[in-house]
Amino acid sequence: MPIIHQIQGRDALLVWAIPFASGREIPPDSLAGYLRDRGDTGVLPPQSDFPSAFQWHNRIRGELYPSQWEELCGNLERLRRDLGSRSLPEVEDRQEWVIASAKLFPARVYVWLDEFNEWLGKASPFKLK
């Protein structure tokens, strides 16, 4: 399944795929927090300038606002606690959490790839192509 799509002549990256595409450098809970806290003056850069996410459905682009990510942050924390209560080995627990957490992210939600790479370049030498 491709995780980079052409939208309005630009490359867009599916948000749920960022933890996988970044080599897990950006875990799901951090990603959700970056989206929730984006632009919040109480958050230090580089996450304060994390690209805004948008939904793309039927050729209509809809903005998603930081407050809309609060519920996802709670769901990810509940998932972490639920998996932790199963006492799985750490590696197995982490893998299962990352995979299950991807399913909690909203569908058809993207960030512009160039904006994401610009942000990532400030935080890490890693870039997506």
Side-chain angles (χ1 to χ4, degrees), residues 46-102:
Q47 65 199 56
S48 64
D49 60 351
F50 193 85
S52 61
F54 63 92
Q55 193 156 34
W56 183 254
H57 185 64
N58 292 332
R59 297 183 169 256
I60 298 172
R61 182 174 171 218
E63 292 298 323
L64 291 168
Y65 300 98
S67 60
Q68 294 174 269
W69 297 99
E70 185 64 39
E71 183 178 350
L72 176 61
C73 289
N75 290 339
L76 290 170
E77 181 55 36
R78 278 188 287 288
L79 176 62
R80 181 188 297 279
R81 281 196 311 267
D82 291 347
L83 289 174
S85 70
R86 294 172 47 196
S87 300
L88 297 171
E90 185 178 341
V91 171
E92 187 179 328
D93 177 58
R94 182 76 177 159
Q95 289 172 342
E96 190 170 336
W97 179 73
V98 170
I99 291 168
S101 67

Side-chain angles (χ1 to χ4, degrees), residues 37 39-45 47-48:
D37 298 335
D40 181 1
T41 57
V43 178
L44 298 174
Q47 65 199 56
S48 64

Side-chain angles (χ1 to χ4, degrees), residues 25-26 30 33-35 37-40 43-52 115-124:
E25 186 173 325
I26 303 170
S30 294
Y34 292 165
L35 290 160
D37 298 335
R38 195 186 97 57
D40 181 1
V43 178
L44 298 174
Q47 65 199 56
S48 64
D49 60 351
F50 193 85
S52 61
E115 293 176 8
F116 176 73
N117 275 332
E118 181 180 339
W119 173 85
L120 193 59
K122 294 174 188 174
S124 164

